[in-house]
Amino acid sequence: LTSKTKFILAPLQGYTEKSFRSAWASVFAGIEYAVSPFIPLAEGSRYKLAHVRDVLPENNISIPVVPQILGNDPEKFVVLSHLLQDLGFETVNWNLGCPKRSIAAKKRGSGILPYPDLLRQILDRLIPKLSLTLSIKTRLGYQNPEEFYSLINVYNDFPLQSLIIHPRTGVQEYEGNMQLAILRETITEIKHPIIFSGDITDKASFGQISTLFPEINHWMLGRGILANPFLPEILLKRVQLNDENQIRQRLLHFNNELFFQISGNIGKEKFILNKMKDFWSYFALWFANSREIFTSLAHQNDLKFFMEKTNILITEAGLSSFEGRGNKQLKT
Ligand SMILES: Cc1cc2nc3c(=O)[nH]c(=O)nc-3n(C[C@H](O)[C@H](O)[C@H](O)COP(=O)(O)O)c2cc1C
């Protein structure tokens, strides 16, 4: 941990939109900025209101946000980045990591990684027309991590604000071991400031990864923060988690603030309930008997009861350790 160490909130589509970002920031600290879940490129200026609202600076007072763009059309990319620039943004992020089959099949997200020449052509057409800075979020490759060797040559030939690396391949999606050997082997060849994204869930995992990559100062936290909202404070050594009452108070505040934010964002009770359930597939990990808790909540179909129940859990149920543990989302 040095004075240069910074934590950035990862884009997690369906989770780290503005409701979460603002609720989290009203209770917890230690995040420098967030990258938004991706905005897919559209025709002209036909963007969904929800996507625009999500990144609008006035809706992101507590944590500044860098908008992320998904697509492979440089002309559309320029149009969207001009719109974003007019809203006051100075940097946009390009998503070259999304592993979803339907997206990758169209050479978008991680689907572009096996085609370094195409990537170069797009950047050749994009960069000269871009009047804000570009950062890229990439994986090591789509099929295999050796694709990274050619990708580095392309990335190195363009000015990038930063290169965010999730050291898996597209076909791995979010599971299986990260392929750290290739990143270790190539890291000194990369000319851009690097942000590491993947599997930082506690002090132990952060210790291991940061020891392996002493040249990295910026770390992205994703699922780890859903499973443990204290994570940045723990890693920055800014919190003492020995007052159980205080832990419960903060979690309670967070749960209710998240509910409040989501309710203001989507109207229908059914949607609000489903959204809260999605979050609780990670929040159940706050407790010792997480599996049991998750199962009992999955069956709730009344929003008011759901919120009462979760608040009682936070007040009374046995907590798990926030100092060290994983981030495995619970599934029915
Ligand atoms: C549900 C989910 C949604 C995600 N959505 C995005 C996204 O919109 N854009 C992106 O670049 N990465 C996305 N990611 C990848 C994360 O930003 C991150 O790189 C990855 O989860 C590894 O980091 P973690 O182990 O800290 O979560 C998503 C991951 C998950 C699990």
Side-chain angles (χ1 to χ4, degrees):
L1 209 65
T2 73
S3 59
K4 290 189 203 155
T5 307
K6 285 192 166 55
F7 294 103
I8 297 146
L9 181 66
L12 301 164
Q13 187 86 227
Y15 295 92
T16 62
E17 282 80 5
K18 69 177 165 62
S19 296
F20 174 86
R21 297 193 299 262
S22 112
W24 183 86
S26 69
V27 185
F28 303 100
I31 285 290
E32 218 69 28
Y33 67 92
V35 174
S36 80
F38 66 77
I39 305 173
L41 286 176
E43 221 46 74
S45 53
R46 301 176 64 164
Y47 286 93
K48 282 196 183 158
L49 201 53
H51 283 141
V52 179
R53 282 200 182 122
D54 187 56
V55 296
L56 271 185
E58 68 205 57
N59 294 333
N60 291 279
I61 307 287
S62 36
I63 303 182
V65 61
V66 171
Q68 185 184 68
I69 299 176
L70 177 91
N72 60 11
D73 180 321
E75 277 71 43
K76 288 182 187 161
F77 199 114
V78 170
V79 173
L80 177 54
S81 52
H82 282 154
L83 295 172
L84 291 167
Q85 194 172 17
D86 288 345
L87 295 174
F89 292 101
E90 290 168 4
T91 304
V92 291
N93 178 266
W94 189 19
N95 178 322
L96 296 183
C98 185
K100 226 180 149 210
R101 288 268 165 90
S102 53
I103 288 173
K106 294 181 194 149
K107 298 186 183 163
R108 295 176 191 159
S110 66
I112 207 167
L113 302 178
Y115 307 96
D117 294 340
L118 174 63
L119 178 62
R120 182 181 292 279
Q121 279 170 29
I122 297 172
L123 286 167
D124 268 332
R125 285 160 68 187
L126 178 63
I127 296 275
K129 293 195 191 141
L130 216 56
S131 38
L132 27 61
T133 57
L134 180 71
S135 73
I136 286 182
K137 186 159 179 282
T138 187
R139 291 180 181 243
L140 299 178
Y142 184 69
Q143 285 289 350
N144 75 68
E146 281 81 27
E147 291 166 34
F148 200 51
Y149 296 122
S150 334
L151 292 168
I152 292 178
N153 292 332
V154 181
Y155 295 142
N156 275 348
D157 283 345
F158 296 92
L160 297 181
Q161 191 263 353
S162 57
L163 186 65
I164 307 169
I165 304 173
H166 176 49
R168 285 193 171 90
T169 57
V171 291
Q172 277 186 285
E173 302 194 0
Y174 302 106
E175 308 295 328
N177 290 335
M178 296 194 291
Q179 317 224 30
L180 300 177
I182 290 232
L183 183 58
R184 183 55 270 165
E185 181 192 333
T186 52
I187 196 159
T188 52
E189 290 163 36
I190 303 171
K191 288 184 185 157
H192 307 292
I194 296 170
I195 300 171
F196 183 99
S197 169
D199 296 12
I200 299 175
T201 59
D202 54 17
K203 273 188 208 163
S205 50
F206 180 60
Q208 280 167 11
I209 297 169
S210 56
T211 306
L212 188 59
F213 299 106
E215 45 282 273
I216 300 182
N217 296 308
H218 293 183
W219 310 93
M220 206 166 227
L221 304 175
R223 292 166 294 180
I225 233 173
L226 297 179
N228 180 357
F230 298 94
L231 186 59
E233 290 174 39
I234 291 171
L235 299 180
L236 289 164
K237 305 194 168 86
R238 281 203 215 153
V239 69
Q240 288 278 321
L241 292 176
N242 44 19
D243 181 345
E244 190 177 313
N245 194 38
Q246 201 194 8
I247 294 176
R248 291 188 193 273
Q249 284 307 318
R250 293 180 74 189
L251 293 174
L252 206 55
H253 183 181
F254 174 47
N255 191 44
N256 289 304
E257 186 63 26
L258 184 62
F259 168 66
F260 175 76
Q261 292 289 338
I262 290 172
S263 306
N265 212 22
I266 30 182
K268 279 206 175 140
E269 283 211 359
K270 183 83 192 144
F271 287 110
I272 303 171
L273 176 63
N274 285 337
K275 196 40 82 182
M276 289 306 294
K277 281 188 182 175
D278 287 346
F279 279 106
W280 273 80
S281 65
Y282 286 99
F283 296 178
L285 297 166
W286 300 347
F287 306 94
N289 54 344
S290 52
R291 161 62 48 196
E292 208 177 298
I293 285 175
F294 173 69
T295 312
S296 75
L297 289 174
H299 295 126
Q300 286 288 336
N301 48 27
D302 181 281
L303 179 60
K304 192 162 164 276
F305 284 150
F306 183 92
M307 287 312 297
E308 278 170 13
K309 186 146 196 223
T310 54
N311 283 337
I312 291 170
L313 284 169
I314 294 174
T315 316
E316 295 174 358
L319 296 174
S320 67
S321 155
F322 283 89
E323 295 283 346
R325 68 177 137 100
N327 64 354
K328 275 271 168 284
Q329 181 183 25
L330 296 163
K331 289 185 180 131
T332 37

